[in-house]
């Protein structure tokens, strides 16, 4: 929505709260909840502030020693949170609430904080634009739904949670229908929040689901990804159930993936595609993405749990290989013509999308600059292959 549309909704008492947020390095939304009138009178123009320690804390919100950016010696000051009004939207999963995402800015220099996740992705978007490319992207997020509430899950030490289903529901419409009381509400809430939804489907584990939203410019897609996760968690909390995007919540079942889909565009043309098939740009981008995958695993697999997902025949890749429409490969090439794209199957659903997409772009653009050739296309089962680089463990 536009600021004028927000003002009208606030005047009509349809919006009373505006959530102002940005992600930490784990991809969690941090920020403040504003009285809507105060947001319009002050924050809309001037933004707000937050403690710089938010970019250095651990998962339990404990300050971590050793960062130059923020530390006890420097006193943990503020950063300026500047709303990106292009992200302003109704948060339809919450009562009379709007939400806006922020860029994190240094108060003294009035420049983007270089280590903030959204800043990191913005730099790669700028680099792609400098090379003449617009980046289109999509996140394919999976999650587990439990009939156990978040509070009860905590009290149970996250053990013996009750899955929403009781048998594997991959594409299974009857079992998936049993989750429609939650997933259907989620689809409708996202659509009403300005996030176009494609579909939802059961996945390859008990109580596991996938909800797909429309592709977009890569920064917009990363924003949608973050808002979607926040919405799904808040909806679950409101229903007394819980969802998790952990990469591997159950050792005996497939994990939660976040397959990343990318293509480069020049105007209305997908530059990965040519009349003769796949372009040089496609090949070099793929080569760069693959060449740097192991070095940038921290952006695709950010926690210890992330690495538990990489098991043979688990639908998570174990080899850094590429293949056409082959789900055993770390890099799967799908689509044709304008829909031609590269799918990276390495990331889990615990990724911070700003960092994962930034890593992908930095790698692919480096590949284009250096004309990095990918290895030969793999034919067959990558799980049983020899002579293929392994996904780091």
């Amino acid at each position: 929505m536009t600021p004028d549309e927000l003002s009208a909704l606030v005047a009509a008492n349809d919006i009373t709260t505006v959530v102002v947020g940005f992600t930490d390095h784990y991809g969690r939304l941090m920020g403040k909840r504003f009285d809507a009138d105060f947001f319009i009178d002050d924050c809309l123009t001037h933004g707000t502030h937050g403690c710089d320690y938010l970019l250095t804390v651990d998962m339990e919100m404990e300050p971590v020693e050793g960062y130059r950016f923020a530390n006890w010696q420097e006193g943990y000051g503020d950063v300026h949170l500047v709303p990106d009004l292009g992200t302003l939207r109704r948060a339809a999963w919450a009562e009379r609430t709007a939400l806006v995402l922020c860029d994190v800015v240094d108060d003294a220099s009035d420049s983007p904080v270089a280590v903030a996740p959204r800043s990191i992705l913005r730099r790669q978007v700028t680099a792609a634009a400098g090379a003449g490319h617009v980046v289109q992207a999509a996140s394919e997020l999976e999650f587990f739904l439990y009939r156990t509430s978040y509070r009860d899950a905590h009290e149970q030490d996250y053990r013996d949670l009750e899955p929403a289903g009781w048998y594997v529901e991959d594409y299974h419409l009857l079992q998936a229908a049993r989750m429609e009381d939650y997933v259907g509400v989620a689809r409708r809430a996202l659509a009403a929040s300005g996030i176009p939804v494609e579909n939802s489907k059961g996945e390859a584990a008990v109580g596991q689901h996938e909800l797909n939203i429309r592709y977009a410019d890569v920064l917009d897609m990363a924003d949608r990804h973050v808002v979607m996760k926040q919405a799904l968690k808040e909806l679950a909390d409101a229903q007394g159930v819980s969802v998790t995007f952990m990469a591997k919540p159950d050792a005996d079942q497939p994990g939660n993936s976040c397959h990343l889909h990318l293509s480069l565009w020049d105007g209305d043309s997908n530059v990965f595609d040519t009349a003769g098939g796949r372009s040089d740009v496609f090949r070099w981008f793929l080569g760069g993405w693959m060449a740097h995958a192991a070095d940038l695993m921290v952006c695709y697999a950010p926690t210890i749990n992330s690495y538990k997902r990489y098991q043979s025949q688990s639908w998570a890749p174990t080899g850094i290989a590429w293949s056409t429409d082959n789900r055993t490969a770390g890099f799967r090439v799908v689509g044709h013509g304008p829909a031609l794209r590269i799918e990276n199957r390495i990331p889990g659903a615990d990724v911070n999308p700003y960092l994962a997409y930034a890593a992908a772009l930095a790698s692919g653009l480096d590949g284009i600059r250096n004309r990095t050739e990918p290895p030969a296309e793999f034919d067959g089962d990558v799980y049983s292959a020899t002579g293929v680089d392994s996904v780091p463990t």
Side-chain angles (χ1 to χ4, degrees):
M1 66 176 73
T2 66
D4 287 344
E5 289 169 336
L6 174 64
S7 296
L9 291 169
V10 172
N13 208 36
D14 287 337
I15 295 290
T16 59
T17 301
V18 180
V19 176
V20 176
F22 70 100
T23 73
D24 65 5
H25 284 94
Y26 297 104
R28 305 177 298 183
L29 270 183
M30 301 289 162
K32 302 177 182 179
R33 309 179 78 85
F34 277 83
D35 173 84
D37 286 309
F38 183 82
F39 176 85
I40 289 171
D41 292 343
D42 189 89
C43 187
L44 189 65
T45 303
H46 302 296
T48 187
H49 288 79
C51 182
D52 59 12
Y53 98 130
L54 292 168
L55 293 176
T56 66
V57 294
D58 66 13
M59 280 191 177
E60 304 302 329
M61 303 302 293
E62 291 292 334
V64 179
E65 298 280 0
Y67 287 99
R68 288 192 301 271
F69 171 71
N71 50 62
W72 290 115
Q73 291 71 35
E74 297 291 333
Y76 286 120
D78 272 352
V79 289
H80 188 190
L81 306 179
V82 179
D84 179 345
L85 298 180
T87 70
L88 181 63
R89 68 187 74 235
R90 183 187 287 273
W93 63 89
E95 184 179 1
R96 294 191 293 174
T97 300
L99 178 145
V100 67
L101 299 176
C102 294
D103 287 306
V104 183
V105 174
D106 183 272
D107 238 350
S109 65
D110 198 33
S111 58
V113 169
V115 298
R118 206 164 187 261
S119 303
I120 292 171
L121 179 54
R122 276 194 181 278
R123 287 199 298 277
Q124 297 307 320
V125 171
T126 299
H133 304 308
V134 171
V135 186
Q136 300 286 349
S139 298
E140 211 180 324
L141 274 166
E142 298 170 353
F143 58 91
F144 280 82
L145 174 67
Y146 300 101
R147 296 301 183 188
T148 310
S149 72
Y150 280 115
R151 184 60 181 264
D152 287 345
H154 174 76
E155 297 299 326
Q156 294 169 211
D157 197 26
Y158 301 99
R159 299 176 187 277
D160 301 320
L161 307 186
E162 180 188 353
W166 54 93
Y167 56 83
V168 173
E169 62 184 85
D170 197 15
Y171 291 92
H172 198 291
L173 288 174
L174 176 58
Q175 185 70 305
R178 297 183 175 118
M179 295 172 65
E180 190 69 359
D181 59 332
Y182 171 77
V183 179
V185 172
R187 287 197 313 271
R188 292 186 286 275
L190 290 171
S193 303
I195 298 179
V197 172
E198 290 190 351
N199 57 60
S200 61
K201 62 175 283 290
E203 262 299 333
V206 177
Q208 189 184 37
H209 225 75
E210 174 181 294
L211 200 164
N212 290 312
I213 55 181
R214 291 287 301 276
Y215 75 91
D217 289 359
V218 66
L219 182 62
D220 188 15
M221 188 64 223
D223 292 338
R224 291 179 181 185
H225 175 133
V226 166
V227 173
M228 172 181 162
K229 288 180 78 169
Q230 183 73 15
L232 264 60
K233 292 174 184 179
E234 289 190 25
L235 277 170
D237 213 21
Q239 289 192 11
V241 299
S242 56
V243 294
T244 183
F245 295 91
M246 278 183 71
K248 192 75 169 178
D250 186 332
D252 297 325
Q253 297 196 75
N256 283 324
S257 300
C258 177
H259 304 147
L260 303 182
H261 295 250
L262 280 181
S263 57
L264 300 184
W265 290 68
D266 180 2
D268 294 329
S269 299
N270 180 348
V271 299
F272 281 178
D273 176 62
T274 66
R278 300 163 183 171
S279 68
D280 289 340
V281 170
F282 163 87
R283 195 172 71 252
W284 297 330
F285 189 96
L286 174 61
W289 201 352
M290 294 181 67
H292 297 294
D295 289 334
L296 290 170
M297 281 296 289
V298 69
C299 297
Y300 306 132
T303 70
I304 293 171
N305 178 266
S306 306
Y307 293 85
K308 298 180 180 182
R309 183 173 144 263
Y310 303 120
Q311 303 291 330
S312 181
Q313 298 182 343
S314 69
W315 303 108
T318 58
I320 301 177
W322 77 275
S323 189
T324 301
D325 197 15
N326 181 344
R327 285 182 169 86
T328 71
F331 291 83
R332 174 179 174 237
V333 177
V334 289
H336 54 84
L340 177 64
R341 60 199 185 276
I342 302 168
E343 175 193 36
N344 183 350
R345 298 176 62 83
I346 294 173
D350 56 349
V351 294
N352 182 324
Y354 300 111
L355 301 181
Y357 281 127
L361 273 181
S363 302
L365 294 174
D366 180 79
I368 293 171
R369 280 192 300 272
N370 292 292
R371 301 190 172 190
T372 304
E373 293 291 344
E377 179 174 5
F378 191 90
D379 181 23
D381 177 11
V382 180
Y383 288 127
S384 60
T386 58
V388 171
D389 290 338
S390 296
V391 173
T393 58

